[in-house]
Amino acid sequence: YFVIASANDIGIPSFDTPSLIGLLGTYLLVLLSYLIFHRYYYQNTDTQITRLSGALKSKQLQSEILVQSITDGVIVTDNDGNISNMNESAAKLTGWTIDESLGLNVHNIVTFKNDQDEVIPNLENPFDSVITNKQPISGTYNLESRSKSTYAVSCVVSPIST
């Protein structure tokens, strides 16, 4: 509790100097604490974010290089089945370019057919099975490309744990 100014007997304000100095000192201490906190906390946070961002970009680039170097067709999707990466072999099999397929749902790009030449429903599709059950699945399917060419493929679909 500070009393900074009060009136004396004749009504002239008088200042309580120790209280005024205490209030000013408290204000300066709070300001100094804020500046030190801001400098070290935000500087360290910005440095950490920059370092982590660089590491993430490096890991993402390594993953993309790995996928592109595999000679088998590889399609990477997110948990919703949207294509996030695809290599050139998969692009040739599906008839879609890598750029065209990115962001599209795998069902728009990959059409599997059974031995009776019937399209496998989405619920029985290996991509959906893996997304739903989080278990790898493999089998032999007929893959219909964009140009309606059909290829017999041995398909292995596995979830990636992060």
Side-chain angles (χ1 to χ4, degrees):
Y1 184 88
F2 288 103
V3 176
I4 295 176
S6 62
N8 61 13
D9 293 340
I10 54 175
I12 298 175
S14 67
F15 293 97
D16 180 18
T17 305
S19 293
L20 187 58
I21 290 172
L23 182 61
L24 185 59
T26 303
Y27 174 76
L28 290 175
L29 185 60
V30 168
L31 180 63
L32 182 63
S33 298
Y34 170 76
L35 292 174
I36 290 171
F37 169 78
H38 186 270
R39 177 179 176 163
Y40 290 109
Y41 178 76
Y42 284 115
Q43 228 174 20
N44 288 341
T45 302
D46 288 345
T47 302
Q48 288 174 345
I49 289 171
T50 302
R51 189 176 72 244
L52 290 173
S53 177
L56 181 61
K57 287 178 184 175
S58 176
K59 292 289 185 190
Q60 185 176 8
L61 181 60
Q62 289 174 355
S63 296
E64 289 176 11
I65 290 170
L66 177 65
V67 167
Q68 294 304 322
S69 68
I70 298 172
T71 57
D72 292 333
V74 176
I75 297 173
V76 180
T77 69
D78 61 15
N79 288 334
D80 296 323
N82 299 317
I83 296 174
S84 58
N85 199 353
M86 181 165 97
N87 70 0
E88 192 59 40
S89 297
K92 287 179 184 174
L93 284 170
T94 62
W96 291 78
T97 68
I98 295 170
D99 288 337
E100 288 174 324
S101 66
L102 294 179
L104 295 178
N105 191 281
V106 71
H107 297 301
N108 297 332
I109 306 301
V110 178
T111 303
F112 288 120
K113 291 187 168 186
N114 60 22
D115 291 334
Q116 290 76 35
D117 203 35
E118 300 168 333
V119 173
I120 296 175
N122 287 352
L123 294 176
E124 297 173 23
N125 186 298
F127 287 103
D128 282 331
S129 295
V130 169
I131 289 171
T132 303
N133 301 322
K134 308 286 188 237
Q135 296 294 319
I137 190 169
S138 63
T140 303
Y141 301 94
N142 294 316
L143 174 71
E144 184 179 78
S145 72
R146 189 179 196 180
S147 65
K148 303 299 181 196
S149 299
T150 303
Y151 304 97
V153 295
S154 177
C155 182
V156 178
V157 183
S158 300
I160 296 176
S161 301
T162 54

